[in-house]
Amino acid sequence: MNLQVTARFLNVKAVPAALLTALVCISVTTGLCWLSLQVSKENLKRRLQETVYQHHASLQNELEHEESRLESFVSLYYISPNFNRYAFHSFAKVENQPWLVAKLFSKRVSPDKFNHFEQAVKVDTSVDTQGYPDFYIIDKVAHQDALVALYMEPRQELRDTLGLNLEKWFPSGSKRMRESAQPLSFMLNNKHPILKGNNIVISIPVYDTSLPLTNQAQRKTAFQGAFSTVISIDKLIHHLFDSANLKMNSVTLSGTGIDDEKIQIRLPSGPRTDIRHKPYIEEFNFQLPLSVPGKKWSVNYDIQTYDGLAETNILWLITLIGTLFTAFATGFIYLTVRTGKIAHRLAYDMTSALQISEESLLETQRLAKMGSFQLSPSHQLSAQTGNLHDLFYLDPEIRIDYLLQLLLHMDAEDALKFTQVISTALTTVLHTHQVVRIESETPGWLNLIVDSSETQTGFTLRVIAMDVTDKYQSEQKIKQLAYQDALTGLANRTSLRHATERALRHSHIYHSKLAVFFLDLDRFKFINDSVGHDIGDQVLIEIARRLKNSVKEHDFVARLGGDEFVILVEHLPKDNDVHTIADHILALICAPMNIGKHTYYLTTSIGIAIASNGAPDVDELMKQADMAMYQSKEKGKNKYTIFSIDIAQALEQRTNLELEMRVAMKEKRFLPYFQPQFDVRTHQMTGVETLLRWRHDKRGMIAAKDFIAIAEESGLIIDIGNQILVEVCQLIPTWNLPEKFVVGVNVSSLQFFQAGFVDFVIKSINDAGIPPSRIEIEVTETMIMQDINIAKTCLEQLHAFGVGVSIDDFGTGYASLTYLREFPVQRIKIDQRFVKGHTKNHKDMAIVKAIATLGHDFGMEVIAEGVETELQLISLENIGCDLYQGWLRSTALPAQAIQSLLPPIECDIRASPLA
């Protein structure tokens, strides 16, 4: 009986209808869940992509920063002739990061110098007071050069590396670096016996710049060593990404090793949360390029996460509603069919279900910011879904019938391209997409997916519109990080290069001219040093704002870095226009800047280069503008200079002259000449001033005024000055000098403020075995005012040892009389400009008298420079000057000519046996 009742209840006619209803409802629910999940995943991927890109950019910046630091070491090596362990360690300790494994200088040592080199290192106490008594070259090979690890930081952790012959461990890499003269970058993994861990090594070679470096053989000969930095890639990546709150599954660095072989380093991800049992686990993979000197590597980020799917709550809601609706609809259909009301109830309920499904789909499209429509060959819209009014920023009251209504709200250029795509899709099978800009007060971006298929009656075309505004803006932000200066918002160096290349192409096509204005702010370093970098940054932002607002719309403004800016002016009508533009820029920068409670004033030096018909190329154009800018600096700043071939030739001559000077220094072609000094009353020679001469093999004897500026700019003046000081001290014992005869030696500011200058002077005097009072150090007012405290300390130490001090060219600098009173000065020298004119100009006469009176009141001797006439000498004697020098009595003379001018030494007749 029970079985019969059950059979009647489960009427076979009702089951198929119920199953069909359940299948439809489950399919709709599943589709809605899938669509919602895809939107959530897309948002998560976008957020993760932006985070990874930003932190990867920080990784790239850190590597570029380390390369820049390494180049600073190389620059220090070239400009400091006495580069030693102390200089290296002082510079290396300025900045230390946890991911830095080592800073290293390796020196090339030839086999014949092994023993001498080892002995010199053993007694080197410049950093460690005990020296290195156990030092020797580890793994040296007979008859082969060694590349010895000499200076390193941190010293204690790397003490086992001191003396290691890196030529043995990295032979091919060392050979490739020294012969190419290019930086070397390679990776080392945990398997390397010297450096443990996963590391990146960057090395830059240094050479003897006095030798030619044209080919490999010449570079091999001139190679002197290499500066290297070792970076722990494990620590660097973990340091940068720890704050990102990412669950790193793995990070893989793909690059090259020391022998240029391909290497993949899979970095440990560190401790992370176990997410195997978490719902909605997502894995994302990002592969990004990594640039190191001379190489292009890549980093693969594998991220596993369950975070970010905040929208998963809607999945549960959709699932719950769909399940309840499925159960209700299935039961209802089953009961309706079973009771015999099949046709009417089934049609009604299915229509209701489809209507609900359509409404759910429309709601999902609204949440996902999607819409679609079908397009006819006559561009009429039909089968519209979603909210096209919101997507295209249309009035909700307007009915959308034609494609033109949508095109009118697009960017004009995008609309034209989309029309062409539609025309193609109506004649051929096509599946493509296009991102278009929707014009509004707050513009948006849509991704329009076009899908056309061929049917018996023609082509059916459907367009799906998706709102990608957030994604597009994120991508633009990433591009902005790559092509825009973070501080000022101006274009950066990379963006400037692209713009200049584009402008040069237009110049070539249209036979037009363009100009590059290279700006370097004057004395900006003073603002940073005096009021801090925060104020300095605000100054740069204000300068950028002024420049941006002053140029035309099609002109281009960029910041290269630091205090350097570039303005690219296209379509230059006439060359004379650059003068107007440059004057305007100078006036713009000179205007006062009110920042906080203070007002600041700046000037700028400008270099201008003009291109015509697309030439020269971008690198040469920038180089020309840079050269012209430095010419403006040399002219006194706050000026502009237009590049000309004369500037290039002058720069080339300066470069050649510097190279010749380096060779001359090694060949000891710089000689001391001596300007005799005489007593105003007795006219006896009482001393000499040492002057510098260069015995050139082609140009003969060259005076200091023709090369001293280049010597000071290049730093060569330090070695030249030290060499002259030693030579003068060695010459003095060979002369038969009176008791109070004094030899004055001029020193430059670079030489004077160099660490250890006083010790060097004392050592030179002691080595020559002469009384300290024989030597007088001549300084200028301008020099001692550079750092008053250090200058006073140095002069007091020299005075305490017995060395004399004189102030040269007195009256031309800015020294306070207070400092003159406190400094241990024995002589002041009146500048020859006042001496030459004092017999004709009452103002010069007043200055000479004032200096003489002042010097005598301070207990100093007064020397007049540049005396050329008897009238001048008589006047100086009447004024009361003690000594004089000048062409009236003698020009500057070589060392061998000085002895003939010395007074004869009087013999003591009481000691003679004939008396």
Side-chain angles (χ1 to χ4, degrees), residues 333-353:
I333 291 298
Y334 176 80
L335 292 174
T336 301
V337 174
R338 183 180 177 278
T339 56
K341 300 178 181 179
I342 298 174
H344 175 73
R345 298 302 301 174
L346 184 60
Y348 177 79
D349 291 341
M350 289 299 293
T351 301
S352 299

Side-chain angles (χ1 to χ4, degrees), residues 652-849:
E652 183 179 3
Q653 290 175 358
R654 288 172 64 90
T655 304
N656 293 336
L657 189 62
E658 180 181 339
L659 292 175
E660 290 180 353
M661 289 174 65
R662 292 185 182 277
V663 175
M665 187 177 64
K666 291 192 174 184
E667 296 178 354
K668 295 188 176 181
R669 291 182 173 272
F670 292 104
L671 307 174
Y673 262 52
F674 302 93
Q675 178 69 53
Q677 298 170 337
F678 302 93
D679 188 286
V680 169
R681 288 165 292 279
T682 66
H683 303 293
Q684 291 293 319
M685 186 169 65
T686 60
V688 292
E689 177 187 1
T690 305
L691 303 177
L692 182 60
R693 294 291 185 269
W694 176 7
R695 189 179 67 244
H696 197 278
D697 53 353
K698 295 179 180 179
R699 297 166 57 187
M701 201 65 69
I702 304 176
K705 64 181 178 64
D706 295 330
F707 63 84
I708 197 71
I710 298 177
E712 290 182 342
E713 181 181 327
S714 64
L716 288 172
I717 191 62
I718 297 176
D719 268 2
I720 295 174
N722 290 344
Q723 178 182 313
I724 293 299
L725 177 61
V726 171
E727 188 170 345
V728 168
C729 291
Q730 298 294 332
L731 273 173
I732 290 176
T734 66
W735 290 341
N736 197 13
L737 299 178
E739 180 180 354
K740 294 184 179 181
F741 195 93
V742 175
V743 179
V745 180
N746 290 288
V747 295
S748 72
S749 59
L750 290 176
Q751 183 184 7
F752 182 77
F753 287 108
Q754 186 189 30
F757 170 72
V758 174
D759 293 337
F760 181 79
V761 173
I762 293 174
K763 183 178 184 301
S764 300
I765 292 173
N766 289 337
D767 289 347
I770 60 176
S773 58
R774 288 288 189 203
I775 296 294
E776 182 176 80
I777 298 298
E778 295 191 12
V779 298
T780 64
E781 296 174 82
T782 304
M783 181 193 306
I784 61 178
M785 291 298 291
Q786 291 180 17
D787 194 319
I788 295 171
N789 294 329
I790 293 179
K792 182 180 179 183
T793 301
C794 291
L795 294 179
E796 287 177 345
Q797 291 174 347
L798 291 171
H799 178 68
F801 181 66
V803 175
V805 177
S806 68
I807 296 183
D808 198 8
D809 301 333
F810 187 80
T812 61
Y814 307 97
S816 166
L817 296 181
T818 302
Y819 298 130
L820 182 63
R821 180 190 65 190
E822 295 178 354
F823 280 24
V825 178
Q826 287 77 52
R827 298 186 186 187
I828 55 176
K829 304 178 72 174
I830 306 175
D831 186 77
Q832 60 182 341
R833 283 172 287 183
F834 302 133
V835 173
K836 288 181 178 180
H838 85 281
T839 57
K840 301 176 182 179
N841 186 313
H842 71 280
K843 293 182 180 179
D844 285 344
M845 173 66 78
I847 292 174
V848 172
K849 287 182 178 179

Side-chain angles (χ1 to χ4, degrees), residues 130-142:
Q130 302 298 322
Y132 307 93
D134 300 326
F135 175 83
Y136 68 97
I137 301 176
I138 305 172
D139 297 329
K140 59 186 174 184
V141 180

Side-chain angles (χ1 to χ4, degrees), residues 1-11 338:
M1 184 63 181
N2 291 334
L3 292 175
Q4 292 177 352
V5 173
T6 304
R8 285 198 305 271
F9 183 78
L10 295 174
N11 192 317
R338 183 180 177 278

Side-chain angles (χ1 to χ4, degrees), residues 91 162 184 409 485 505 547 711 784 907:
F91 199 59
L162 180 63
L184 175 69
H409 288 263
D485 178 55
R505 287 194 296 270
L547 294 177
I784 61 178
C907 298

